[in-house]
Amino acid sequence: MNIAIILAGGSGSRLGGERPKQLIEVAGHSILAHTTGVFECHPLIDEIAIVSRADCIADVEAIVRSEGFRKVRKILEGGRERYDSSLAALNAYGDDDDCLLFHDAVRPLVSSRIISDCIHALEHHDAVGVATKATDTIWQVGEGGCIADIPSRALLRNAQTPQCFRRRVIRRAYDLALADPAFTVTDDCGVVRRYLPDQPIYVVEGEPTNIKVTYRHDLLLLETLLRDKR
């Protein structure tokens, strides 16, 4: 099966406000509803699981009911770290041939094209990421706050989600990671890259509009993009 894992366990501390950012309403719907709706409508997605903070599960259940999402089969409790949410999803599914698409709940403008390309890529690759080409020059800053290196922009990409895997691959990577006392990572492709270094990770072309809502000004941009999309 092709299973979308919506990671909705964040606190949204950088955005400010009392509610987690995935529950904030923009253009008449919560950000989580916008995001889930893209996967709900995609013909190649068989099932959706939403991983939530424990104190927001009732809110997520209410959103699923009110929006009429039929593909959402599981609402799971995540943990303090992002990888806790990924592990919750891994533990909820047992078929190693399942294709798991891990997606940030606060990237509501992911396109149907990106999802399709990821699923088709998983027919030939066991690990797939999404990224856009870097448009800015990137500086690597060393000690003393001085430029240490300027990597070639042609080799750099801005990572997005979904990040997609055959379950057996991401499960093996996390098994190795959890046995490492020094384990620390920010995303699932990073886990595979670090603990299964011989596993290629194919990169699907992302889109500039596949933004992650992080700061308050992102809400204004999101509202504009949603209006233009309509």
Side-chain angles (χ1 to χ4, degrees), residues 169 172-173 176 189-201:
V169 170
R172 176 60 178 157
L176 294 171
C189 281
V191 177
V192 173
R193 177 64 181 161
R194 179 171 178 178
Y195 293 99
L196 298 177
D198 294 329
Q199 172 65 55
I201 304 174

mmCIF file of all heavy atoms in Angstrom, residues 169 172-173 176 189-201:
data_model
loop_
_atom_site.group_PDB
_atom_site.id
_atom_site.type_symbol
_atom_site.label_atom_id
_atom_site.label_comp_id
_atom_site.label_asym_id
_atom_site.label_seq_id
_atom_site.Cartn_x
_atom_site.Cartn_y
_atom_site.Cartn_z
ATOM 1 N N VAL A 169 13.232 -0.549 4.680
ATOM 2 C CA VAL A 169 14.449 0.268 4.672
ATOM 3 C C VAL A 169 14.459 1.236 5.849
ATOM 4 O O VAL A 169 15.433 1.313 6.599
ATOM 5 C CB VAL A 169 14.576 1.024 3.333
ATOM 6 C CG1 VAL A 169 15.692 2.068 3.401
ATOM 7 C CG2 VAL A 169 14.852 0.035 2.213
ATOM 8 N N ARG A 172 14.854 -0.637 9.190
ATOM 9 C CA ARG A 172 16.236 -1.066 9.449
ATOM 10 C C ARG A 172 17.089 0.111 9.878
ATOM 11 O O ARG A 172 17.897 0.011 10.818
ATOM 12 C CB ARG A 172 16.817 -1.725 8.194
ATOM 13 C CG ARG A 172 18.290 -2.128 8.293
ATOM 14 C CD ARG A 172 18.531 -3.117 9.407
ATOM 15 N NE ARG A 172 19.915 -3.534 9.477
ATOM 16 C CZ ARG A 172 20.494 -4.029 10.565
ATOM 17 N NH1 ARG A 172 19.794 -4.182 11.686
ATOM 18 N NH2 ARG A 172 21.767 -4.393 10.547
ATOM 19 N N ALA A 173 16.920 1.256 9.232
ATOM 20 C CA ALA A 173 17.711 2.435 9.587
ATOM 21 C C ALA A 173 17.431 2.863 11.022
ATOM 22 O O ALA A 173 18.355 3.185 11.791
ATOM 23 C CB ALA A 173 17.416 3.573 8.616
ATOM 24 N N LEU A 176 18.995 0.536 13.701
ATOM 25 C CA LEU A 176 20.408 0.842 13.917
ATOM 26 C C LEU A 176 20.572 2.148 14.679
ATOM 27 O O LEU A 176 21.441 2.265 15.554
ATOM 28 C CB LEU A 176 21.134 0.916 12.571
ATOM 29 C CG LEU A 176 21.232 -0.400 11.788
ATOM 30 C CD1 LEU A 176 21.765 -0.146 10.378
ATOM 31 C CD2 LEU A 176 22.132 -1.389 12.521
ATOM 32 N N CYS A 189 15.283 11.020 5.988
ATOM 33 C CA CYS A 189 16.355 10.768 5.023
ATOM 34 C C CYS A 189 17.724 10.809 5.713
ATOM 35 O O CYS A 189 18.629 10.062 5.348
ATOM 36 C CB CYS A 189 16.304 11.794 3.890
ATOM 37 S SG CYS A 189 15.049 11.443 2.632
ATOM 38 N N GLY A 190 17.836 11.677 6.721
ATOM 39 C CA GLY A 190 19.087 11.749 7.469
ATOM 40 C C GLY A 190 19.381 10.465 8.224
ATOM 41 O O GLY A 190 20.548 10.054 8.350
ATOM 42 N N VAL A 191 18.326 9.812 8.732
ATOM 43 C CA VAL A 191 18.509 8.533 9.425
ATOM 44 C C VAL A 191 19.018 7.473 8.453
ATOM 45 O O VAL A 191 19.972 6.734 8.740
ATOM 46 C CB VAL A 191 17.188 8.081 10.079
ATOM 47 C CG1 VAL A 191 17.356 6.705 10.738
ATOM 48 C CG2 VAL A 191 16.735 9.088 11.118
ATOM 49 N N VAL A 192 18.396 7.407 7.279
ATOM 50 C CA VAL A 192 18.821 6.429 6.279
ATOM 51 C C VAL A 192 20.234 6.728 5.809
ATOM 52 O O VAL A 192 21.077 5.822 5.690
ATOM 53 C CB VAL A 192 17.839 6.410 5.092
ATOM 54 C CG1 VAL A 192 18.364 5.532 3.965
ATOM 55 C CG2 VAL A 192 16.473 5.917 5.549
ATOM 56 N N ARG A 193 20.523 7.975 5.554
ATOM 57 C CA ARG A 193 21.850 8.358 5.056
ATOM 58 C C ARG A 193 22.949 8.022 6.066
ATOM 59 O O ARG A 193 24.020 7.556 5.696
ATOM 60 C CB ARG A 193 21.872 9.862 4.752
ATOM 61 C CG ARG A 193 23.205 10.416 4.291
ATOM 62 C CD ARG A 193 23.637 9.828 2.979
ATOM 63 N NE ARG A 193 24.922 10.353 2.565
ATOM 64 C CZ ARG A 193 25.704 9.779 1.664
ATOM 65 N NH1 ARG A 193 25.315 8.659 1.074
ATOM 66 N NH2 ARG A 193 26.854 10.301 1.338
ATOM 67 N N ARG A 194 22.663 8.230 7.339
ATOM 68 C CA ARG A 194 23.681 8.012 8.363
ATOM 69 C C ARG A 194 23.880 6.537 8.684
ATOM 70 O O ARG A 194 25.019 6.077 8.832
ATOM 71 C CB ARG A 194 23.298 8.767 9.635
ATOM 72 C CG ARG A 194 24.303 8.588 10.774
ATOM 73 C CD ARG A 194 24.005 9.510 11.933
ATOM 74 N NE ARG A 194 24.923 9.313 13.043
ATOM 75 C CZ ARG A 194 24.908 10.008 14.167
ATOM 76 N NH1 ARG A 194 24.009 10.976 14.320
ATOM 77 N NH2 ARG A 194 25.760 9.757 15.130
ATOM 78 N N TYR A 195 22.783 5.786 8.765
ATOM 79 C CA TYR A 195 22.893 4.415 9.261
ATOM 80 C C TYR A 195 22.835 3.357 8.168
ATOM 81 O O TYR A 195 23.159 2.198 8.422
ATOM 82 C CB TYR A 195 21.808 4.162 10.316
ATOM 83 C CG TYR A 195 22.045 4.993 11.549
ATOM 84 C CD1 TYR A 195 21.354 6.192 11.752
ATOM 85 C CD2 TYR A 195 22.991 4.617 12.493
ATOM 86 C CE1 TYR A 195 21.598 6.973 12.870
ATOM 87 C CE2 TYR A 195 23.242 5.397 13.614
ATOM 88 C CZ TYR A 195 22.541 6.569 13.797
ATOM 89 O OH TYR A 195 22.789 7.354 14.896
ATOM 90 N N LEU A 196 22.419 3.758 6.971
ATOM 91 C CA LEU A 196 22.502 2.864 5.810
ATOM 92 C C LEU A 196 23.217 3.617 4.691
ATOM 93 O O LEU A 196 22.625 3.959 3.664
ATOM 94 C CB LEU A 196 21.089 2.446 5.358
ATOM 95 C CG LEU A 196 20.233 1.652 6.346
ATOM 96 C CD1 LEU A 196 18.851 1.398 5.761
ATOM 97 C CD2 LEU A 196 20.899 0.336 6.736
ATOM 98 N N PRO A 197 24.501 3.906 4.868
ATOM 99 C CA PRO A 197 25.213 4.770 3.915
ATOM 100 C C PRO A 197 25.285 4.218 2.495
ATOM 101 O O PRO A 197 25.502 4.985 1.549
ATOM 102 C CB PRO A 197 26.609 4.906 4.540
ATOM 103 C CG PRO A 197 26.744 3.723 5.448
ATOM 104 C CD PRO A 197 25.363 3.447 5.959
ATOM 105 N N ASP A 198 25.099 2.929 2.319
ATOM 106 C CA ASP A 198 25.132 2.346 0.973
ATOM 107 C C ASP A 198 23.768 2.374 0.286
ATOM 108 O O ASP A 198 23.645 1.944 -0.867
ATOM 109 C CB ASP A 198 25.631 0.896 1.047
ATOM 110 C CG ASP A 198 27.086 0.813 1.504
ATOM 111 O OD1 ASP A 198 27.850 1.755 1.203
ATOM 112 O OD2 ASP A 198 27.446 -0.180 2.170
ATOM 113 N N GLN A 199 22.753 2.861 0.998
ATOM 114 C CA GLN A 199 21.403 2.928 0.436
ATOM 115 C C GLN A 199 21.218 4.236 -0.341
ATOM 116 O O GLN A 199 21.207 5.318 0.241
ATOM 117 C CB GLN A 199 20.361 2.849 1.554
ATOM 118 C CG GLN A 199 18.925 3.100 1.106
ATOM 119 C CD GLN A 199 18.420 2.038 0.151
ATOM 120 O OE1 GLN A 199 18.456 0.871 0.460
ATOM 121 N NE2 GLN A 199 17.975 2.466 -1.021
ATOM 122 N N PRO A 200 21.055 4.168 -1.661
ATOM 123 C CA PRO A 200 20.828 5.411 -2.418
ATOM 124 C C PRO A 200 19.483 6.039 -2.040
ATOM 125 O O PRO A 200 18.507 5.339 -1.776
ATOM 126 C CB PRO A 200 20.816 4.940 -3.882
ATOM 127 C CG PRO A 200 21.433 3.581 -3.873
ATOM 128 C CD PRO A 200 21.120 2.991 -2.533
ATOM 129 N N ILE A 201 19.464 7.364 -2.025
ATOM 130 C CA ILE A 201 18.228 8.107 -1.785
ATOM 131 C C ILE A 201 17.979 8.966 -3.018
ATOM 132 O O ILE A 201 18.658 9.958 -3.258
ATOM 133 C CB ILE A 201 18.326 8.992 -0.529
ATOM 134 C CG1 ILE A 201 18.707 8.144 0.696
ATOM 135 C CG2 ILE A 201 17.003 9.716 -0.286
ATOM 136 C CD1 ILE A 201 18.963 8.960 1.950
#
